[in-house]
DNA sequence: GCCAACGTTGGC
DNA sequence: GCCAACGTTGGC
C-alpha cells in the first residue's frame, strides 16, 4: 500500500492509538476491489512511501479489519467526498491496518527495479499508479531478504 | 460505444 | 517543475 509520507507516513501510523488506522480515501476501482475481495484478516502488507525523496518500502503492517464502507465518502467536507456513495449504497471500501514494524532500512524503488526476480512485480512495471497492489509470496520473501 | 479533453499520480 | 501514463468524463 502506497502513501505519501508528507500526508501519512509510517510514523503517523505508529503514533495512532493501537497503531491502527483505517485506509480511507482510495478512489480507484481496482484498488477498492483488492480491499473488498482479497485482503484478509492477518494478511501482511508492505507500507510504501511514494512521492518523496526516496520512494520505497519502509515497513510492514497487518490487516486487522476486512473491507467495509469508507465513510469519508459520505462527508461533504471531506477531501474524498463522493456524492455517488451513500451509507445505503457505499461505493468505496477500506480496510483497517495495524503497524507491525519498520524495516531496518528503506528498500528503495530503485533497487526493486534492478532485480530480475521482481520483473513481474506490479510496482516496478512501467506506468503503474495503483495505490494498492498485490505481492506474491515469493516476491514478498525475496523483498524481505534484501533488508 | 468512441474518443478527445482533462485531471491525477508519482518518478525524476 | 516536468511529463508520461493512465483513469474519468462527457459530447456526439
Amino acid at each position: 500500500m502506497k502513501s505519501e509520507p508528507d500526508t501519512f507516513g509510517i510514523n503517523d501510523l505508529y503514533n495512532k492509538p493501537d497503531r491502527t488506522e483505517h485506509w480511507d480515501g482510495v478512489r480507484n476501482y481496482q484498488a477498492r476491489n483488492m480491499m473488498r475481495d482479497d485482503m484478509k484478516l492477518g494478511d501482511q502488507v508492505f507500507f510504501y512511501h511514494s512521492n518523496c525523496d526516496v520512494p520505497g518500502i519502509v515497513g510492514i503492517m497487518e490487516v486487522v479489519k476486512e473491507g467495509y464502507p469508507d465513510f469519508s465518502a459520505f462527508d461533504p467536507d471531506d477531501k474524498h467526498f463522493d456524492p455517488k456513495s451513500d451509507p445505503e449504497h457505499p461505493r468505496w471500501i477500506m480496510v483497517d491496518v495495524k503497524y507491525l514494524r519498520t524495516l531496518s532500512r528503506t528498500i528503495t524503488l530503485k533497487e526493486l527495479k534492478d532485480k530480475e526476480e521482481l520483473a513481474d512485480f506490479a510496482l516496478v512495471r512501467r506506468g503503474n499508479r495503483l495505490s494498492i497492489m498485490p505481492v506474491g509470496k515469493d516476491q514478498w520473501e525475496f523483498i524481505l531478504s534484501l533488508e
Side-chain angles (χ1 to χ4, degrees):
Chain A
M1 294 175 117
K2 293 183 189 174
S3 187
E4 304 187 8
D6 287 349
T7 306
F8 186 79
I10 190 155
N11 290 332
D12 297 307
L13 179 61
Y14 180 87
N15 288 323
K16 286 286 168 183
D18 293 333
R19 299 181 180 177
T20 296
E21 180 64 304
H22 43 268
W23 204 267
D24 64 306
V26 173
R27 296 292 180 267
N28 170 281
Y29 287 104
Q30 257 184 284
R32 178 204 66 181
N33 293 349
M34 278 185 267
M35 289 197 286
R36 185 187 61 193
D37 304 331
D38 301 330
M39 299 180 69
K40 300 300 180 190
L41 217 58
D43 282 355
Q44 294 192 11
V45 182
F46 285 134
F47 197 125
Y48 177 90
H49 277 178
S50 66
N51 212 0
C52 56
D53 283 352
V54 185
I57 296 168
V58 295
I60 299 175
M61 46 195 180
E62 178 184 0
V63 176
V64 292
K65 182 171 180 176
E66 293 181 5
Y68 65 108
D70 179 345
F71 48 73
S72 70
F74 308 149
D75 177 3
D77 295 327
D78 193 284
K79 187 186 172 201
H80 301 290
F81 174 62
D82 182 353
K84 293 172 186 158
S85 187
D86 64 71
E88 267 75 64
H89 303 93
R91 175 172 298 210
W92 302 112
I93 297 292
M94 62 186 173
V95 298
D96 287 0
V97 287
K98 178 172 186 168
Y99 173 96
L100 285 186
R101 72 181 180 92
T102 300
L103 300 188
S104 55
R105 66 181 190 87
T106 299
I107 299 175
T108 66
L109 175 62
K110 185 174 188 309
E111 66 185 297
L112 295 174
K113 278 180 166 173
D114 285 341
K115 304 295 182 195
E116 187 107 0
E117 293 87 340
L118 297 176
D120 292 331
F121 185 33
L123 179 72
V124 303
R125 295 234 292 274
R126 216 168 108 247
N128 201 319
R129 303 175 308 155
L130 268 184
S131 63
I132 300 176
M133 41 188 97
V135 184
K137 190 176 192 316
D138 291 346
Q139 292 168 344
W140 178 277
E141 283 166 7
F142 177 77
I143 290 166
L144 274 186
S145 78
L146 302 173
E147 184 181 1

